[in-house]
């Protein structure tokens, strides 16, 4: 999970830098991201407490949600495979073999050889999900990367290279999770929920010695994982004062 965390933070920083270079209204972008994730049951107005200088957490949350969508299915629902149910022991062995073989591979080189492999399909779907055409055109001035990815190819750009590092880290985590018996259960913190240190990790630093009283989840940044009732990876959250 450390690779997921580091690559996600790096890609988020690059995307945020692109937004600033394109003179985006970052505060408006944060509000848009937040409004897209609010539900009728969100009673706490946490968005107002989130400063634009912490937009990176809202953006990372958006990227994380897109990448981890359908993580609990053996192929991210890219097909209707039921191998994990039909032959679970063999499936777990295959997942670990793929994890071991792919761990040291350069994703750019791998996709240069097999652009439409299952990992390549995952990358294509996630890129197109994260990078809306209008967003890409605003940031890069054209839709060249979108056209390449839509055609089943993978750009050799610096930006797409950073994206692939996140994709590989999450793909490896998925393979590792499905090689275990039982598989870990993914969970997300809920916006407006009380901070629970046994299940959550605060991403922002507070001045002083301890966490201020009355903090709640303002942004669920990335998921956590449990094995049975034990939290093995904490969910990362951005905290805000309770109103």
């Amino acid at each position: 999970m450390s690779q997921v965390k580091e690559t996600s933070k790096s890609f988020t920083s690059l995307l945020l830098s692109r937004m600033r270079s394109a003179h985006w209204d970052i505060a408006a972008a944060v509000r848009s991201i937040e409004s897209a994730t609010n539900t009728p049951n969100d009673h706490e107005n946490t968005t107002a407490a989130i400063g634009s200088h912490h937009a990176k957490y809202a953006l990372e949350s958006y990227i994380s949600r897109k990448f981890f969508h359908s993580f609990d299915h053996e192929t991210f629902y890219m097909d209707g495979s039921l191998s994990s149910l039909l032959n679970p022991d063999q499936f777990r062995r295959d997942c670990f073999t793929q994890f071991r073989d792919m761990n040291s591979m350069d994703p750019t080189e791998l996709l240069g050889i097999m652009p439409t492999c299952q990992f390549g399909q995952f990358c294509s779907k996630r890129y197109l999900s994260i990078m809306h055409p209008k967003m890409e055109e605003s940031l890069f001035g054209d839709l060249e990367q979108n056209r390449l990815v839509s055609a089943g190819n993978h750009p050799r750009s610096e930006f797409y290279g950073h994206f692939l590092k996140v994709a590989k880290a999450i793909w490896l985590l998925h393979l590792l999770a499905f090689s275990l018996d039982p598989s870990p259960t993914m969970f997300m913190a809920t916006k407006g929920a009380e901070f629970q240190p046994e299940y959550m990790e605060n991403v922002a630093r507070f001045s002083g010695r301890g966490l201020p009283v009355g903090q709640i989840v303002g942004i669920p940044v990335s998921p956590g994982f449990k094995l049975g009732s034990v939290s093995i990876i904490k969910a990362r959250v951005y905290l805000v004062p309770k109103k």
Side-chain angles (χ1 to χ4, degrees):
M1 190 68 181
S2 61
Q3 280 297 308
V4 174
K5 177 180 175 180
E6 294 308 314
T7 56
S8 179
K9 287 170 64 176
S10 177
F11 178 65
T12 299
S13 295
L14 180 60
L15 181 55
L16 190 58
S17 175
R18 284 280 185 174
M19 289 177 170
R20 286 175 173 145
S21 296
H23 306 293
W24 278 38
D25 183 335
I26 302 301
V30 170
R31 289 194 296 271
S32 177
I33 291 170
E34 288 298 292
S35 64
T37 60
N38 281 337
T39 69
N41 294 324
D42 284 332
H43 300 298
E44 302 291 345
N45 182 14
T46 58
T47 304
I50 300 171
S52 61
H53 57 295
H54 289 309
K56 60 184 179 182
Y57 299 123
L59 186 57
E60 187 179 351
S61 173
Y62 163 76
I63 292 168
S64 180
R65 287 195 308 274
K66 294 294 187 179
F67 265 118
F68 278 99
H69 180 66
S70 299
F71 186 92
D72 59 342
H73 186 264
E74 62 186 66
T75 64
F76 290 93
Y77 285 109
M78 291 189 294
D79 59 39
S81 175
L82 295 174
S83 299
S84 61
L85 298 177
L86 298 176
N87 195 344
D89 291 339
Q90 184 61 49
F91 181 76
R92 283 192 291 271
R93 287 193 294 270
D94 290 345
C95 283
F96 186 75
T97 298
Q98 292 176 51
F99 169 82
R100 183 189 59 204
D101 292 346
M102 188 178 173
N103 195 32
S104 60
M105 290 183 180
D106 182 319
T108 302
E109 297 304 320
L110 172 63
L111 295 180
I113 300 170
M114 298 186 295
T116 59
C117 66
Q118 197 170 46
F119 172 61
Q121 294 174 41
F122 171 75
C123 293
S124 297
K125 289 180 180 294
R126 291 303 183 264
Y127 182 83
L128 296 174
S129 175
I130 292 169
M131 297 297 294
H132 187 277
K134 289 184 178 179
M135 181 180 184
E136 180 172 309
E137 188 171 23
S138 172
L139 298 181
F140 298 101
D142 57 43
L143 292 172
E144 181 61 23
Q145 293 187 121
N146 183 282
R147 283 192 289 268
L148 284 170
V149 175
S150 296
N153 298 308
H154 301 278
R156 290 274 181 162
S157 67
E158 177 192 10
F159 183 81
Y160 196 77
H162 276 77
F163 164 83
L164 285 182
K165 290 179 181 178
V166 191
K168 178 190 172 184
I170 291 175
W171 187 261
L172 287 176
L173 181 65
H174 184 262
L175 288 173
L176 185 60
F178 274 85
S179 72
L180 300 177
D181 183 21
S183 297
T185 302
M186 188 179 79
F187 67 93
M188 285 290 292
T190 304
K191 186 184 299 183
E194 299 290 339
F195 179 64
Q196 299 181 50
E198 64 271 32
Y199 295 114
M200 303 175 191
E201 172 192 347
N202 175 36
V203 297
R205 294 181 179 179
F206 290 96
S207 58
R209 292 187 175 182
L211 188 70
V213 177
Q215 298 290 308
I216 60 173
V217 176
I219 303 174
V221 178
S222 63
F225 290 86
K226 292 190 292 185
L227 193 58
S229 60
V230 180
S231 174
I232 54 175
I233 298 175
K234 294 182 180 181
R236 296 170 61 236
V237 298
Y238 176 75
L239 300 176
V240 296
K242 185 175 183 179
K243 296 296 184 179

